[in-house]
Amino acid sequence: MLDIKYLRQNVDIVKKKLRQRGQAIDFDRFLKLDQERRDILISVEALRNERNDASKEIGRLKKEKKDASELIAQMGAVSDKIKKLDEDLKSVEENLNNFMLLVPNIQHESVPAGSGENDNVVVRLGGAKPVFNFEPKEHWEIGERLNILDFTRGAKIAGARFTLYKGLAAAMERALINFMLELHVREHGYTEVLTPFMVNRESMTGTGQLPKFAEDLFKIEGMEYYLIPTAEVPVTNIYRDEILEEEQLPIYLVAYSPCFRSEAGSYGKDTRGLIRQHQFNKVEMVKFAKPEDSYDELERLTANAEEVLNRLEIHYRTVCLCAGDLGFSSAKTYDVEAWMPGQNVYREISSCSNFEDFQARRASIRFRREGSGKVEFVHTLNGSGLAVGRTVVAILENYQQADGSVVIPAALRPYMGGLEKISP
RNA sequence: GGAGAGAUGGCUGAGUGGUCGAAAGCGAUCGCCUGCUAAGCGAUUGUACGCCCCUAAAAGGUGUACCGCGGGUUCAAAUCCCGCUCUCUCCGCCA
């Protein structure tokens, strides 16, 4: 959510910024509602003031056993007016709030212009592409031939976009989760958390999934619970409605969670393989930072994600998303894309974003400055570290051998009992 | 699933219709005292929104709201009534 005072005074700047994101939002309605709200507030508060004074006077009169009936009758009328105005106010505020919840964040000045993913800017390359003396296969073929990925039975058990892992694929998924968590905890200074995988409406609203993206979520029938699409949701909401002390910041948290996404609107896209699933595992890093530090923190967060691929010796590129490709809540995002030789493309394996105070304002996550005692919104950040299923894909495709076997990256072997290779 | 108890400021905890944004204590901040520390003394100590002031922000002034959440009664609600959520205790069941 944007700062309503800032928006009120800088409508044209906000409009222009959002146009660069491909968003045309009509702020006339906002300005009208905002003015209406303040008008009603002025009237209703004046009446309340009058009533408060009169009530004190009535109390005094009654104590002195004097007649207060005239004043009481007058205040009866005033209370009726207040009630009416309160109803108007409530309705205007509801409209205003609903409007504000649908306005995307404003991008940082360093975000490149552009309308779609072709305009994203490559900022870094890591590792080297593997060289094959044969035609590299796609991971679904490798996985099925090794009998470690079973797409058919996954579909039987649940449906399309669900996969059954067997044997060493299941072990590799588990090993990767441990490898990533331990890297971030032991070397990057994060604290591990394990959260609920279902959350309430307030949490989904706090991070920006609701109200606009309800169709992307799985909701529990008959209950106000949603399956999380990313651990960002429960982890960021840990400090919802709290005021932190300045000395607590920055806070670095890392969480493993399964992620559930309806993938509405992506019918026919990535239908084969592990790339786009209704359920996948992810290790997620979340930071709470002071505003002046958040862009440095974003660089470090992105480097932490890249480090996973450095250790696994998988080639990747890091792109800075252009204005038109940014997510709803983000002010700036780097995507880390792993090289997938079987598909001959780079695929997003991590997305690292600074939300500035957009989520903090929605979720009311604040901190108190040590000297002045002033309360400010924190900045929230998060990034995948990494998407686990896609990391399995990257390993299968990058480490495949001519004989159909797959070598296990050296960094992962300690987590798989020293195993060096998965053979047919 | 059954029975009961509770939710008040950073914390503990008082308050059952008006003078209560809320006693007291603790903690914290500032000052005094002190050779240092401790003790002692004094002051301050929530958040949000609006208006005034101001070039603007901050500060300041002023008003309103907030005692789990939502509604009701009343001139007036932390206090009375209704609904909900959450926490705790006991019984039963369960990974």
Side-chain angles (χ1 to χ4, degrees):
Chain A
M1 202 152 58
L2 301 180
D3 179 0
I4 197 161
K5 284 179 205 156
Y6 175 83
L7 179 55
R8 193 182 289 154
Q9 286 164 7
N10 301 280
V11 172
D12 290 334
I13 296 173
V14 172
K15 249 190 216 168
K16 193 175 142 214
K17 282 274 199 176
L18 291 182
R19 211 175 299 125
Q20 289 164 4
R21 291 176 83 126
Q23 300 282 331
I25 290 185
D26 175 21
F27 285 104
D28 294 344
R29 194 168 145 252
F30 161 78
L31 289 170
K32 191 167 160 280
L33 283 169
D34 181 53
Q35 188 58 53
E36 214 174 317
R37 172 177 168 269
R38 280 179 293 159
D39 289 344
I40 298 172
L41 213 50
I42 289 167
S43 315
V44 79
E45 286 190 355
L47 289 173
R48 279 222 179 82
N49 182 225
E50 187 187 338
R51 186 177 70 182
N52 287 346
D53 288 346
S55 288
K56 279 177 200 161
E57 181 62 20
I58 290 167
R60 207 172 303 130
L61 289 172
K62 289 217 163 183
K63 209 173 189 177
E64 295 166 13
K65 308 251 187 248
K66 290 181 182 161
D67 178 48
S69 56
E70 192 183 330
L71 206 47
I72 288 173
Q74 278 173 21
M75 288 309 109
V78 169
S79 281
D80 287 345
K81 270 192 223 165
I82 290 173
K83 202 173 213 174
K84 169 78 173 61
L85 285 173
D86 264 341
E87 277 165 25
D88 295 348
L89 185 65
K90 200 177 158 191
S91 132
V92 168
E93 282 185 337
E94 211 174 289
N95 285 330
L96 199 56
N97 195 244
N98 289 342
F99 176 89
M100 291 300 288
L101 286 174
L102 294 172
V103 179
N105 202 358
I106 299 297
Q107 65 274 22
H108 188 249
E109 57 189 16
S110 65
V111 168
S115 58
E117 62 179 293
N118 293 331
D119 299 315
N120 294 341
V121 176
V122 177
V123 295
R124 213 160 22 250
L125 293 171
K129 285 187 189 181
V131 178
F132 296 96
N133 54 11
F134 59 96
E135 187 65 31
K137 297 182 168 56
E138 289 150 319
H139 68 277
W140 53 82
E141 202 178 325
I142 301 165
E144 286 185 320
R145 275 177 49 172
L146 289 172
N147 194 29
I148 56 174
L149 292 178
D150 189 337
F151 298 100
T152 310
R153 291 202 178 93
K156 175 170 72 181
I157 297 165
R161 297 200 191 284
F162 288 95
T163 301
L164 174 68
Y165 286 61
K166 297 194 283 199
L168 290 173
M172 183 185 285
E173 182 96 2
R174 180 163 51 85
L176 280 168
I177 292 166
N178 283 330
F179 164 65
M180 292 177 193
L181 283 172
E182 293 197 4
L183 173 66
H184 296 313
V185 168
R186 290 183 185 172
E187 300 190 37
H188 296 154
Y190 292 76
T191 301
E192 184 177 352
V193 291
L194 185 64
T195 70
F197 300 149
M198 292 187 239
V199 300
N200 57 30
R201 166 168 290 271
E202 288 71 34
S203 292
M204 284 294 185
T205 306
T207 34
Q209 281 73 24
L210 289 178
K212 197 167 179 192
F213 304 101
E215 64 169 24
D216 296 335
L217 301 172
F218 285 113
K219 184 175 186 299
I220 301 300
E221 183 81 28
M223 281 189 238
E224 209 48 29
Y225 291 132
Y226 297 83
L227 298 184
I228 58 170
T230 159
E232 159 193 353
V233 178
V235 177
T236 305
N237 277 283
I238 287 173
Y239 296 112
R240 174 154 53 83
D241 296 322
E242 292 192 28
I243 300 176
L244 304 167
E245 295 303 324
E246 181 175 0
E247 58 175 20
Q248 289 178 263
L249 299 174
I251 295 172
Y252 289 11
L253 300 175
V254 62
Y256 153 76
S257 89
C259 303
F260 303 92
R261 300 187 180 180
S262 76
E263 295 298 341
S266 60
Y267 303 113
K269 219 168 151 187
D270 305 315
T271 49
R272 294 203 70 180
L274 285 177
I275 291 295
R276 196 173 296 276
Q277 300 273 292
H278 284 311
Q279 175 191 319
F280 63 95
N281 294 306
K282 185 154 61 69
V283 169
E284 182 78 3
M285 302 173 283
V286 174
K287 290 185 175 187
F288 302 84
K290 291 195 265 181
E292 63 270 28
D293 299 332
S294 69
Y295 280 94
D296 288 342
E297 294 289 358
L298 176 62
E299 296 302 320
R300 278 195 283 275
L301 179 74
T302 309
N304 294 155
E306 289 168 346
E307 184 60 17
V308 178
L309 292 173
N310 289 336
R311 301 282 175 109
L312 294 173
E313 298 175 81
I314 292 169
H315 170 62
Y316 62 88
R317 68 179 189 193
T318 300
V319 301
C320 183
L321 298 196
C322 71
D325 206 26
L326 276 179
F328 177 77
S329 302
S330 177
K332 183 174 184 177
T333 297
Y334 291 113
D335 275 3
V336 180
E337 301 178 334
W339 174 243
M340 307 288 192
Q343 301 160 67
N344 202 37
V345 290
Y346 289 95
R347 296 304 300 241
E348 176 191 330
I349 202 162
S350 174
S351 190
C352 302
S353 302
N354 184 359
F355 303 92
E356 297 192 3
D357 62 9
F358 187 83
Q359 294 181 326
R361 184 169 278 114
R362 287 176 161 246
S364 191
I365 307 168
R366 296 170 291 173
F367 75 103
R368 195 183 306 278
R369 288 276 182 196
E370 239 146 83
S372 62
K374 267 186 59 95
V375 173
E376 290 177 47
F377 288 106
V378 302
H379 280 195
T380 60
L381 302 92
N382 66 56
S384 347
L386 308 164
V388 180
R390 288 188 179 186
T391 306
V392 169
V393 171
I395 290 171
L396 294 181
E397 295 198 6
N398 281 281
Y399 282 86
Q400 61 181 300
Q401 307 297 309
D403 64 359
S405 65
V406 172
V407 170
I408 303 206
L412 195 59
R413 290 176 196 165
Y415 296 88
M416 293 187 71
L419 191 73
E420 292 179 13
K421 197 189 231 187
I422 303 175
S423 301

